[in-house]
Amino acid sequence: MLGGLAALIPLLFVGALFLAPLGALLKRAFDDADAISPIEAWRRTEALTLLGVTVGQAAASAVLAVLVAAPIVWLVATVDFPGALMLRVVVTLPFVLPTVVVGVAFRALGTGLLDGWGVESGLGAILLAHVFLNVAVVVRVVSAVWQQIDPQAIEAARSLGASPLRAFADVVLVRLAPAVAAAAALVFLFCSTSFGVIVILGDGRLRTLETEIYQQGVGYFRIPEAVALSFLQILLVVGALVLARFLGRRGAPSTSDRGVRLRRPRGLGWLPVIAVLIWTTAVLVVPIASLVVRSLRPGGRWSAAGYRLLLENDSGTSVAGSLWYSVTSALVAMVIGVVVGLLAALAVTRFGGTVLARSGAALAILPLGVSAVTLGFGFVVLTTYLPRQIGTSPLLIPAVQALIAIPVVIGLLVPALGEVPQRRREAAAVLGAGPVRVFWTVDMPVIGRSLGAAAGFAFVMAIGEFGATTFLARPNTTTLPVLIGTLMGRPGADSLAAAMAASVLLVAVSAVVVFFVELAAPRAARQVAGGR
């Protein structure tokens, strides 16, 4: 009974908030008086060209992310050095930042340090921003596998006469190849659904499936065309998700629980460490620093005007009010995401053999493979079939934000629950403890830190959600990322200054949360959290 309830709640929650919007899209497309076939819709929207641009920029971003992250992976996986915690924070922070904030940061970088290099906007700026966002994915996925490689395999290769380079290639690189491929597939997945970065940096010239769905659905309200593009997008990202899962599983047998031993460098051994830290600073710190500088120099002169504008009302909406709503909405989404994700994780680990448990867990992961823009557009259509109170409910945005965070919560809690000794649960039950008491006294001490990490990641993902929230925001429910995107689209130095300052504020909030998550999270949680 309890196992069925634990599986049923995630199944109903995700089904209502995930399958219903997609079903509404299909229904609206076929009900439309001007409905056309998907083939005709793809022809009218030049879908093949959009698909080519989407795949091309995502593939290029994935390759660049792997190359840029390679030295950081080596440092994290093999070296013990002071400041390792701060390095993890610096690597993780870009991944959880709102994409619109990253777009603003690279526009600031292009008009500042890289002025004249042609990267203020366009494909070059988009690729750089995607690399910045997804270095954490490569670092976490690949370093987690590297740290599990049995050092005796390397020593055996050396004892047989292999040089250090040959031993690395034959032992380490071979075992890392599946993890690298899986990480690249994940980066491809995230970049193929990129919205905020392309909206801010594409200047309307670079069109992808994601941006065209928004344009067709919201700009022109051509529902059949938007639906046809949405399902083409779904096929693309689900294919990338399946590929990432397949490649990730291929890498598992090549590892060992013995693990690589971190070594403290000595003497000249510090030189490559310092070089990688400089490289990390250039790749991950400079864009954020440029954003801070630009927020203080909105018109080319040092000024705090942008921050003063945070407290001023603009058409009834203030940045301070948006920040307050973003925080409260993210807290509600965090609670929902943790509760639903925990129930799904319990259903998988304790009742994994039931069809209901497997169905609920699989459905809870599916939002990872569908673009937020498609989901948000589906909600817009769905609300036309529902009572007005549902479409304007203050719980709608937190529920959608929670939906996007649930896969990460499950990914963190399933391994943690797997570490709980079953014998302890059985012993507590024999002594008369009920299921809730067993969970509180046996499971919670083991999974407590992972649960805290899951809550932290759920919060930062919710507060930074931009794609779906763009469709659902109202004047009294405007989140900070949505307001930043709106300000960036307005002319005038004041709007730009306020957008830059608000972006810095959101970076600061995210950085504080990530710092405490990294401080509290156990090693297993740090490894699993690499996926969105």
Side-chain angles (χ1 to χ4, degrees), residues 324-422:
W324 172 250
Y325 177 76
S326 294
V327 171
T328 54
S329 174
L331 287 173
V332 175
M334 177 189 74
V335 173
I336 297 173
V338 169
V339 170
V340 176
L342 177 60
L343 290 174
L346 286 171
V348 170
T349 54
R350 290 196 181 184
F351 314 102
T354 67
V355 175
L356 189 62
R358 289 198 300 268
S359 300
L363 187 60
I365 296 296
L366 279 181
L368 185 67
V370 177
S371 83
V373 167
T374 297
L375 193 62
F377 180 48
F379 272 106
V380 171
V381 176
L382 178 63
T383 54
T384 63
Y385 298 106
L386 299 175
R388 182 176 180 275
Q389 292 81 357
I390 296 179
T392 58
S393 171
L395 288 177
L396 182 58
I397 289 178
V400 174
Q401 292 171 336
L403 182 70
I404 295 170
I406 284 172
V408 173
V409 174
I410 295 174
L412 287 165
L413 294 184
V414 166
L417 286 167
E419 296 294 323
V420 180
Q422 184 61 27

Side-chain angles (χ1 to χ4, degrees), residues 48-251:
L48 290 181
T49 301
L50 294 172
L51 179 63
V53 173
T54 302
V55 170
Q57 63 86 18
S61 299
V63 172
L64 289 173
V66 170
L67 295 176
V68 169
I72 307 174
V73 170
W74 165 80
L75 183 62
V76 170
T78 64
V79 181
D80 176 25
F81 64 97
L85 172 63
M86 291 307 302
L87 177 65
R88 291 197 303 269
V89 172
V90 168
V91 169
T92 305
L93 180 59
F95 179 73
V96 300
L97 286 179
T99 54
V100 65
V101 170
V102 174
V104 174
F106 274 84
R107 183 173 286 277
L109 183 65
T111 56
L113 294 176
L114 300 180
D115 189 21
W117 288 46
V119 295
E120 178 183 350
S121 61
L123 182 59
I126 289 170
L127 294 180
L128 289 176
H130 283 167
V131 170
F132 173 81
L133 274 168
N134 292 290
V135 161
V137 176
V138 182
V139 171
R140 287 181 176 274
V141 172
V142 180
S143 65
V145 174
W146 196 335
Q147 288 173 342
Q148 297 172 18
I149 295 176
D150 191 346
Q152 289 187 355
I154 303 174
E155 295 170 2
R158 293 295 307 276
S159 66
L160 293 174
S163 65
L165 185 60
R166 178 69 181 273
F168 174 80
D170 291 348
V171 178
V172 178
L173 202 56
V174 169
R175 287 163 169 79
L176 291 182
V180 172
L186 281 173
V187 174
F188 176 90
L189 168 67
F190 298 145
C191 294
S192 66
T193 59
S194 177
F195 179 65
V197 166
I198 295 178
V199 166
I200 297 296
L201 298 177
D203 283 342
R205 300 191 304 270
L206 192 141
R207 298 161 56 223
T208 63
L209 286 173
E210 192 84 349
T211 60
E212 193 64 17
I213 291 169
Y214 181 86
Q215 188 63 34
Q216 293 290 333
V218 177
Y220 306 140
F221 209 71
R222 296 172 179 167
I223 303 299
E225 286 86 346
V227 170
L229 291 175
S230 295
F231 280 89
L232 182 61
Q233 175 83 305
I234 289 173
L235 292 176
L236 174 64
V237 297
V238 169
L241 182 60
V242 170
L243 179 62
R245 296 274 178 177
F246 172 74
L247 294 172
R249 288 175 181 173
R250 285 189 59 195

Side-chain angles (χ1 to χ4, degrees), residues 297-310:
R297 289 176 59 88
R301 296 181 179 180
W302 294 101
S303 170
Y307 293 90
R308 287 194 296 269
L309 289 171
L310 298 185

